[in-house]
Amino acid sequence: MEIDFIVTWVDMNDPKWQKEFAKYSAKKTNEKNGVSDARFRDHGFLKYWFRGVEKFAPWVRKIHFVTGGQTPAWLDTSNPKIHLVDHADFIPSEFLPTYNSVVIERYMYRIPGLADHFVYFNDDFYITNNITPERFFRNGLPCDIATFLYNPSWSQWYRRIKNNLRIINRHFDKKEVMALHHDKWFDPSYGSRRFWNYVLKPYGKFITLRTPHNAQPYLKSTFEEVWKVAEKELTETSVNRFRSHTDYTPELFRTWQICRGNFEPYNTYSDTKMFPLMIKPEQAIRAINEQKYSLICLNDNVHIRHYDRLMERIREAFDHILPEKSSFEL
């Protein structure tokens, strides 16, 4: 089984990007619209993403490096494992430029040469310890956790998840799905996270699934299937250049995969951790230095205190575990 990685990246210091961004974001003045620096700024950690892949996941077939036509000066683009991908290579031109990650993500299955099995990374997600293909795929299926979670609707993300569920509930009967794939919904590895599955088993509608912030494995066929039934909704909302409450998020495709039974149960919380740097900077640095997890997310925020010093300490931690250049660097 061939497995590819997709990683998205932007250089917000690029003058051309800044000019276009200013043009389209002029009327978007608040952080909720997804125009804050925290959405786009680069800490200089991308080279550690590539070092982590080479050292801890050398089995990957191809890395599809997705940008809006930008390339880091240090990246060796001649490396046979790298496929440079411009947004224009797979997103319809009428929706470009886009600064909305969910639009980029919904079209990524169209990347030329993409393997049928792929893992999608945001560029704030890093591999910090050895990881095997079986962490992402077993028996040809994505590894995932199928448990419900209360949706408080207090953020744009939660509201957009409900948009996904309208499509899911239109095409799946929850009672039938949970009966057909019972063992996958009540796998012992989920532990106490199965609680809501038991409580909601008689209820006829899907609610929000627990969504670990994760490097997410997908089947390309899942995207093809969802697009066949939701082309109208996905196309209409592709005009959203910035995040919008009308969006459909990648969790639509993940939830569809789970409802189809196209997954293998795996408690992703056991080896994956997200660190909001505004409130858990010390824990993030310690997790990198000690390699406590195979996968970590460093979640940015415009309100981080002593930002420059924190970024330097994180860089030192990465240098501690990944001091040598990878073959992806010039």
Side-chain angles (χ1 to χ4, degrees):
M1 181 174 56
E2 295 179 331
I3 300 173
D4 287 357
F5 288 171
I6 298 176
V7 60
T8 52
W9 179 77
V10 64
D11 177 9
M12 68 174 290
N13 296 316
D14 174 13
K16 181 181 177 183
W17 184 91
Q18 289 178 342
K19 183 178 179 180
E20 277 198 329
F21 182 78
K23 173 185 174 182
Y24 290 105
S25 65
K27 296 181 180 179
K28 305 286 187 181
T29 57
N30 66 71
E31 186 179 339
K32 290 183 179 179
N33 284 320
V35 301
S36 75
D37 283 358
R39 296 288 184 205
F40 305 103
R41 61 187 174 188
D42 173 40
H43 318 300
F45 299 158
L46 183 66
K47 64 180 63 177
Y48 298 113
W49 187 89
F50 280 96
R51 290 182 190 184
V53 170
E54 183 162 274
K55 183 173 182 179
F56 301 126
W59 42 263
V60 66
R61 184 194 75 117
K62 185 78 72 175
I63 296 168
H64 302 274
F65 182 57
V66 177
T67 77
Q70 302 166 313
T71 307
W74 52 263
L75 187 66
D76 184 358
T77 57
S78 67
N79 189 306
K81 275 195 173 185
I82 292 181
H83 176 208
L84 290 181
V85 186
D86 190 291
H87 293 166
D89 293 337
F90 64 101
I91 301 174
S93 58
E94 61 265 35
F95 306 129
L96 295 176
T98 185
Y99 307 96
N100 188 347
S101 60
V102 302
V103 172
I104 297 168
E105 290 155 350
R106 71 181 54 164
Y107 287 104
M108 60 188 175
Y109 78 104
R110 296 173 44 167
I111 292 174
L114 180 66
D116 292 334
H117 298 78
F118 67 93
V119 184
Y120 172 60
F121 288 78
N122 291 127
D123 67 352
D124 61 354
F125 229 100
Y126 303 89
I127 302 177
T128 55
N129 212 330
N130 291 315
I131 201 163
T132 67
E134 290 73 29
R135 165 59 180 81
F136 297 113
F137 293 93
R138 293 204 312 269
N139 301 317
L141 297 176
C143 296
D144 217 328
I145 181 171
T147 57
F148 294 115
L149 179 70
Y150 171 67
N151 185 336
S153 300
W154 59 26
S155 71
Q156 187 187 74
W157 185 84
Y158 278 113
R159 290 194 293 273
R160 295 187 301 170
I161 289 295
K162 289 190 174 181
N163 297 341
N164 300 339
L165 290 171
R166 283 194 288 274
I167 293 176
I168 293 296
N169 282 310
R170 201 160 67 219
H171 294 279
F172 292 97
D173 182 288
K174 178 176 147 296
K175 291 181 180 178
E176 289 182 3
V177 167
M178 294 187 72
L180 184 62
H181 308 292
H182 179 276
D183 291 350
K184 292 187 176 185
W185 282 86
F186 295 94
D187 192 81
S189 70
Y190 302 161
S192 61
R193 293 183 175 88
R194 292 176 295 172
F195 172 76
W196 282 110
N197 289 14
Y198 288 111
V199 171
L200 294 171
K201 187 176 181 180
Y203 182 59
K205 296 289 185 181
F206 283 97
I207 69 164
T208 299
L209 287 179
R210 185 179 291 274
T211 305
H213 200 57
N214 193 21
Q216 181 62 43
Y218 286 111
L219 299 174
K220 190 159 65 172
S221 58
T222 298
F223 283 73
E224 295 167 346
E225 191 173 343
V226 173
W227 268 95
K228 285 180 181 178
V229 302
E231 181 177 4
K232 179 177 182 292
E233 294 90 338
L234 293 172
T235 301
E236 287 178 348
T237 54
S238 292
V239 301
N240 296 336
R241 294 191 192 277
F242 298 89
R243 296 188 179 199
S244 168
H245 69 277
T246 64
D247 282 333
Y248 297 89
T249 73
E251 285 74 30
L252 168 62
F253 302 95
R254 173 182 175 259
T255 305
W256 189 281
Q257 254 174 195
I258 289 174
C259 290
R260 277 285 184 225
N262 288 335
F263 75 103
E264 286 292 328
Y266 186 90
N267 186 354
T268 56
Y269 290 88
S270 61
D271 59 6
T272 305
K273 187 73 172 179
M274 180 181 77
F275 293 96
L277 293 179
M278 187 175 73
I279 59 176
K280 293 187 176 181
E282 298 301 325
Q283 294 93 322
I285 293 168
R286 187 162 57 249
I288 298 170
N289 274 315
E290 298 177 1
Q291 298 176 263
K292 295 178 68 173
Y293 303 93
S294 296
L295 293 159
I296 65 164
C297 173
L298 302 179
N299 186 248
D300 199 0
N301 191 289
V302 291
H303 303 297
I304 293 173
R305 298 179 61 197
H306 311 299
Y307 176 80
D308 290 338
R309 175 56 184 149
L310 175 58
M311 294 303 108
E312 180 58 31
R313 292 181 63 202
I314 291 174
R315 188 174 294 107
E316 291 170 355
F318 274 128
D319 264 331
H320 173 68
I321 66 168
L322 296 165
E324 299 177 356
K325 277 187 175 184
S326 71
S327 65
F328 301 108
E329 297 170 62
L330 293 171

